[in-house]
Amino acid sequence: MNPKLTTPARGDSRPANAIFRRRPAATTLAMLAVVIALPLVVPSATLACEILIFAMAVLGCNLLLGYTGLLSFGQAIFFGSGAYVAALAMIHWQVGLFTALLLAAAAGGLLALLVGALAIRRTGIYFVMLTLALTQMAYFIAYTLSDWTGGDNGLLDVPRPPLAIGGFTLFDLASPLAFYGLVAVLFVLLYLGARRVIDSAFGSTLLAIRENEARAAAVGYDTRHFKILAFALSGAVTGLAGALYAMLLNFAPLSNIELPMSEQILIMTIIGGTGSLFGSLLGAGTIVILGDLLSALWPRWMLLLGVALIAVVMFMRGGLWGGLESLGRRRAGAARKAQEDA
């Protein structure tokens, strides 16, 4: 790997990624602390589950946007398909928990492979428009196939199977706290897996494509191949998150596969900080908690949420994670200056 390919350009606006690569162990410990404390500090275990499930979807989006530089509006396709496939398999085939989750991840990954192979034929605004159009198509397909998807009503009575191996039940996941335990373990495994991918030669190549795709192609990398693989990974992770969301709600609504779901996942990614795995957790947590608090204050709470998001975008370069890093740098600089003056 040519080190010049991953050298940040002058004036690079990705401080969140920089600190992540310098202190991965610290961010992993911080992630573990947040996952352990989350059900204790938020109003309910159900809300904590929702945060981690969306953080998984944001992790998948970050692989595309933060590490490959692909702004895709297709995440709802993978999220919704994961929810539908897991729900249908559990309702009609009575499959177990792990089989349902594997089917959801496979469906998300396969659809992402197809979407990616088509969309990356174009770049820039045309790429974005293709992913947007494909999401709209997926929505209308799901709406039309109402015998399978429930149409406008969604799929009702989605079960939440117990954690069982060989017909022996290990844990009953009926309670929100027990289900949170499962979601937390899966999130930690996905986080560590994503970190492994980013730190590998494959991840370095994705970063090189993000920084300068023409240069990466010029030195011999098949950038199309790498971008399709990034799509497939992102789709599998997002499909898994969609399946868990259907189990959490006991319901797979049509809104899972709508364009606003893609927008929500993208907003969480940008607010948390693109190119930061820990930022994925920050972004999902902030949006879910703000939505929960503000909706209790005012029916038109989306207006307040919009103001909060504008403030983050205007004053926190690099999202919340970038803002935290900037604050840490200023405090360290002030401490150094105080030592020099003493």
Side-chain angles (χ1 to χ4, degrees):
M1 178 69 200
N2 188 343
K4 291 182 179 180
L5 288 174
T6 56
T7 301
R10 184 173 293 177
D12 188 6
S13 60
R14 298 182 180 88
N17 182 53
I19 193 171
F20 168 75
R21 291 178 70 79
R22 285 202 302 268
R23 295 198 291 261
T27 52
T28 300
L29 287 175
M31 178 274 295
L32 287 173
V34 170
V35 168
I36 292 170
L38 201 54
L40 305 175
V41 298
V42 298
S44 69
T46 301
L47 189 65
C49 274
E50 189 175 351
I51 291 171
L52 286 195
I53 289 170
F54 276 106
M56 286 184 199
V58 177
L59 269 181
C61 186
N62 233 331
L63 286 174
L64 279 183
L65 179 60
Y67 292 96
T68 318
L70 296 173
L71 177 61
S72 166
F73 280 86
Q75 299 306 105
I77 302 175
F78 322 134
F79 193 85
S81 63
Y84 281 134
V85 167
L88 288 170
M90 289 188 291
I91 291 172
H92 296 292
W93 299 338
Q94 289 79 44
V95 301
L97 176 72
F98 288 123
T99 307
L101 294 178
L102 285 174
L103 287 173
L110 181 61
L111 282 172
L113 205 64
L114 297 174
V115 169
L118 178 63
I120 65 166
R121 292 173 181 274
R122 293 291 179 269
T123 57
I125 188 65
Y126 302 105
F127 167 84
V128 174
M129 293 303 293
L130 273 174
T131 60
L132 197 150
L134 289 168
T135 302
Q136 287 293 83
M137 285 177 60
Y139 166 76
F140 283 110
I141 289 172
Y143 180 79
T144 305
L145 298 176
S146 56
D147 289 343
W148 288 85
T149 63
D152 232 358
N153 298 320
L155 275 176
L156 306 176
D157 300 324
V158 176
R160 190 189 298 171
L163 183 61
I165 297 178
F168 180 73
T169 299
L170 298 177
F171 292 105
D172 185 0
L173 302 176
S175 77
L177 194 57
F179 190 62
Y180 177 81
L182 171 73
V183 174
V185 169
L186 290 175
F187 175 77
V188 170
L189 292 176
L190 285 176
Y191 184 98
L192 296 177
R195 202 182 115 184
R196 179 77 177 167
V197 167
I198 296 307
D199 288 341
S200 68
F202 174 75
S204 297
T205 309
L206 294 184
L207 291 172
I209 292 171
R210 183 195 71 186
E211 297 297 330
N212 193 325
E213 183 175 352
R215 191 187 298 176
V219 296
Y221 289 110
D222 184 348
T223 58
R224 182 174 178 274
H225 174 75
F226 281 97
K227 287 197 288 187
I228 290 175
L229 283 179
F231 251 105
L233 277 177
S234 173
V237 172
T238 311
L240 183 64
L244 290 169
Y245 194 52
M247 293 180 194
L248 174 68
L249 300 179
N250 299 121
F251 172 51
L254 183 64
S255 60
N256 278 355
I257 206 166
E258 276 187 304
L259 185 59
M261 179 58 75
S262 287
E263 295 169 349
Q264 183 177 341
I265 294 172
L266 274 172
I267 288 171
M268 289 176 175
T269 307
I270 294 167
I271 293 300
T274 56
S276 163
L277 296 182
F278 189 77
S280 303
L281 185 56
L282 279 179
T286 301
I287 299 298
V288 173
I289 291 174
L290 273 180
D292 184 69
L293 293 176
L294 297 179
S295 62
L297 297 176
W298 193 27
R300 296 183 174 83
W301 61 275
M302 289 294 287
L303 183 61
L304 298 177
L305 181 60
V307 173
L309 297 185
I310 289 170
V312 171
V313 171
M314 293 292 291
F315 301 109
M316 289 192 178
R317 193 177 181 186
L320 291 172
W321 183 243
L324 288 174
E325 190 196 45
S326 177
L327 179 64
R329 277 202 305 268
R330 283 201 297 270
R331 295 187 65 175
R336 278 197 303 271
K337 188 172 184 305
Q339 285 180 346
E340 290 170 0
D341 293 341

